[in-house]
Amino acid sequence: MKRLSSFFQTLAGAFRTCLTRFPVAVGFVLALTAFLFFLVATEGNRGEEKFLLVLGYYLSVGFVLSLSLHLWGEEVKRRATALVVHGVVQALLVADALFLYHYVADGGAIGIGIAHFAGVLAVGLSVFFLSFFRERNDIPAWYFSLNTISTLIITSIIGVVLQIGVDLLVLSLDQLFGVDVDTKCYVYIAILCCLTLPLLMFLGLLPQGREKHDRRIRISSFLNGIIRYLFLPLAGCYLLVLYVYAIRILVRWELPDGWVSWLVVTLMAMCIGIVFGLYPTRIKEDEPEVYDTNGDKSRMAGRVMRWLPMLVLPLLLLMTVGIVRRFLDYGITINRLYLLTLNLWFYAVCIGLIVGKARRISWIPVSFSLVFLLTSVLPVNYTSITRSVLHGKVKQALLEGNQYELPLSEQQYEAWAKSVSKEEADLIAGKLHYLQDWFGEESVADLVKEGVLFDYVITEAVDTTSVRTISYRQSVQTTVEVPQGYQYCTMVTVNGTLSDESANKDGLCMVGLEDEDDSVYVPLDTLRAHEDDPKFPAPMLRTRKGNVLMLTSFSYNLTVDAPDVDGSTQTDIYFLLEGYLYHNKKQ
């Protein structure tokens, strides 16, 4: 309670401190607040959407970047050097925002997105480690990171509690005095209480001076207890399961399942978390002449950090073999390249912990960030490599034994699909879909023409299920005169299934109007030709009883299953019809 009271007493001083210590970061907080207020006031309808997204990105990343640079600048002896570096880096961020705004090639969007995510992650991690590059161990960075995270959590909780209190106060004005409060007012309160005030308090409460470089080791019995009695047994269970599985596949002489990779990733993440949690205890055990050793003398932390990486290291082979198997079976993808890189980084972490005896740990997140950056930001990155390799393999497959020039039309692609095995056709279709989904239509524009349905063509080529669809809708308002001799109309909506015979009579489909005890022939070929033409006049169809149906919408889905053993096929037809039925007499 005393500590909490002291915390609240320092809030006023914290606001003053953040203005002088982090002026640029405070500026970004205020600018981000004004930006969010503008979005709420205009409901996001004023201004170009792409510009607003880029501006939001710039203000958010600019706050974190300026905070990291301010913290680093406190360690630089020459203030002019810190100011120059700060200005240059901020200018690079502006250039990056302009690049995002003017970049219009959707095909590279996924690569740019991954690269920026890697960059933002690196900026975020730099807040915790960049200021401690001169320290001889990672104790100051460890405590600074712990204080920073806990401060952010506490200020966020305070903001939420404050928002609830202010919201109730504003609501009482409406309930007690009948004052009409706009709903936007509550959003403004949420922005101020849950973003602006917590961030300003967070900046003001960050450790500085000696508190920032706190080299004293204070062992947490609570944290050590959780690690010893909860996470170490859990990690032991993971080790047991994986070693039993490794022995099993060795005895059976089979390849590991690809899913085992995620179990190894979880175990390795747990191992890194345990190493970070026990780091202060590890340093205290390693340097008793410097630090007080009246605590736990069992040297538990040293044994854990020595043996846990050794036990995990052989299991990384399971992950390696599983990933290689996926590459051989299904080919290259962005996810598999990053997963393989993560696996190699795990090897480096385990070997580094064994060799270095966990005397330093900040290199673990820093190396992760650097590897992520190198594989994502450079001109030749995992995204470009994946696109190039997949495109090359598809192009080579389509050109082999094909007399047509690329890009292929639907008929040409169908002819190619019939000339290869079903497995080969499915594999190429999967690669085409991957290129199209991840890199956009232009990534396959030089391979197949627009509108080619890969799965549909392959389906027909290997005599499996085929599908025919129609989706016609009259979306343009038109004025239609009531046909002469007809007195009134009713809105008709009919849906259900049809028999194969009723749907294949000279391009017509007979639909029963159940409520009217009537039926009508719908011209399938005509509607299919005008699916994307809402200006096409709504068809006027005469029914069996002499009424007139103005068709406004018609959906039709015909599915023919693959032949059975006896050669028979099953046809399923679903339809939805909407329109206005004009009656020749009152009923």
Side-chain angles (χ1 to χ4, degrees), residues 312-374:
V312 173
L313 187 59
L315 296 175
L316 296 178
L317 288 172
L318 289 175
M319 182 177 176
T320 304
V321 176
I323 296 172
V324 172
R325 178 183 178 182
R326 301 291 288 185
F327 270 101
L328 294 177
D329 290 344
Y330 305 106
I332 187 174
T333 64
I334 298 174
N335 294 340
R336 290 178 195 134
L337 283 176
Y338 278 112
L339 190 60
L340 178 60
T341 305
L342 182 65
N343 178 234
L344 298 177
W345 180 74
F346 283 161
Y347 282 107
V349 170
C350 287
I351 295 173
L353 289 174
I354 295 171
V355 174
K357 299 180 180 179
R359 291 188 179 91
R360 301 297 296 261
I361 57 173
S362 62
W363 64 270
I364 296 176
V366 171
S367 64
F368 176 85
S369 178
L370 289 176
V371 170
F372 195 11
L373 279 173
L374 291 175

Side-chain angles (χ1 to χ4, degrees), residues 508-529:
L508 300 176
C509 171
M510 187 180 71
V511 175
L513 307 177
E514 299 174 359
D515 296 339
E516 307 296 335
D517 190 24
D518 200 356
S519 61
V520 65
Y521 280 104
V522 179
L524 301 181
D525 294 341
T526 301
L527 296 182
R528 183 179 289 112

Side-chain angles (χ1 to χ4, degrees), residues 45 51 56 71 139 170 216 226 251 314-315 469 471 499:
N45 295 327
F51 172 76
L71 292 171
I139 288 294
V170 174
R216 298 170 299 168
I226 288 178
V251 171
L315 296 175
T469 62
S471 181
S499 64

Side-chain angles (χ1 to χ4, degrees), residues 422-437:
K422 178 181 183 301
E423 292 74 16
E424 174 71 8
D426 287 338
L427 183 62
I428 296 302
K431 295 181 186 301
L432 285 168
H433 274 302
Y434 189 88
L435 286 169
Q436 193 177 60
D437 294 341

Side-chain angles (χ1 to χ4, degrees), residues 12-279:
F15 283 116
R16 292 192 298 268
T17 301
C18 70
L19 290 174
T20 57
R21 188 182 178 193
F22 306 110
V24 179
V26 171
F28 273 106
V29 172
L30 298 179
L32 183 59
T33 302
F35 170 71
L36 295 176
F37 273 34
F38 171 79
L39 290 182
V40 174
T42 61
E43 298 180 356
N45 295 327
R46 294 185 181 178
E48 187 181 352
E49 181 179 357
K50 185 168 67 170
F51 172 76
L52 295 177
L53 288 173
V54 171
L55 182 58
Y57 160 81
Y58 169 73
L59 295 176
S60 303
V61 177
F63 165 74
V64 182
L65 181 61
S66 60
L67 173 60
S68 178
L69 291 173
H70 278 307
L71 292 171
W72 169 79
E74 294 175 342
E75 313 303 319
V76 179
K77 295 181 179 180
R78 297 184 60 183
R79 181 172 176 81
T81 301
L83 292 176
V84 170
V85 172
H86 199 145
V88 170
V89 175
Q90 290 290 352
L92 291 176
L93 179 61
V94 173
D96 176 60
L98 293 174
F99 168 77
L100 283 178
Y101 178 74
H102 291 289
Y103 194 86
V104 294
D106 294 335
I110 182 65
I112 291 178
I114 294 175
H116 279 77
F117 178 76
V120 171
L121 178 64
V123 172
L125 289 176
S126 68
V127 173
F128 302 101
F129 301 105
L130 187 60
S131 302
F132 305 96
F133 57 93
R134 291 197 179 104
E135 296 290 343
R136 67 186 186 91
N137 60 38
D138 294 322
I139 288 294
W142 195 93
Y143 282 112
F144 177 80
S145 301
L146 181 64
N147 289 334
T148 300
I149 295 173
S150 61
T151 300
L152 183 60
I153 294 174
I154 291 174
T155 54
S156 299
I157 293 174
I158 292 175
V160 172
V161 173
L162 183 62
Q163 180 199 353
I164 294 173
V166 177
D167 282 345
L168 289 175
L169 181 62
V170 174
L171 182 62
S172 68
L173 297 178
D174 182 22
Q175 299 295 324
L176 300 179
F177 304 103
V179 178
D180 187 19
V181 179
D182 193 338
T183 54
K184 292 181 180 179
C185 179
Y186 294 98
V187 183
Y188 295 139
I189 294 172
I191 294 172
L192 287 174
C193 295
C194 295
L195 178 72
T196 309
L197 294 179
L199 287 181
L200 293 178
M201 287 189 293
F202 166 75
L203 292 176
L205 294 172
L206 284 177
Q208 58 181 318
R210 291 185 177 181
E211 292 183 0
K212 179 181 176 182
H213 293 270
D214 189 359
R215 299 176 179 86
R216 298 170 299 168
I217 297 182
R218 301 177 296 280
I219 305 301
S220 173
S221 300
F222 175 74
L223 180 59
N224 283 356
I226 288 178
I227 293 175
R228 175 178 291 188
Y229 299 110
L230 291 180
F231 287 101
L232 280 177
L234 182 60
C237 293
Y238 271 73
L239 288 168
L240 178 62
V241 170
L242 286 170
Y243 270 107
V244 170
Y245 179 72
I247 294 173
R248 175 188 172 186
I249 62 174
L250 284 174
V251 171
R252 296 184 176 182
W253 197 245
E254 61 184 14
L255 293 173
D257 189 278
W259 189 85
V260 76
S261 298
W262 299 109
L263 202 63
V264 177
V265 169
T266 305
L267 174 62
M268 193 64 201
M270 198 181 310
C271 173
I272 294 174
I274 290 172
V275 168
F276 270 79
L278 292 178
Y279 182 72

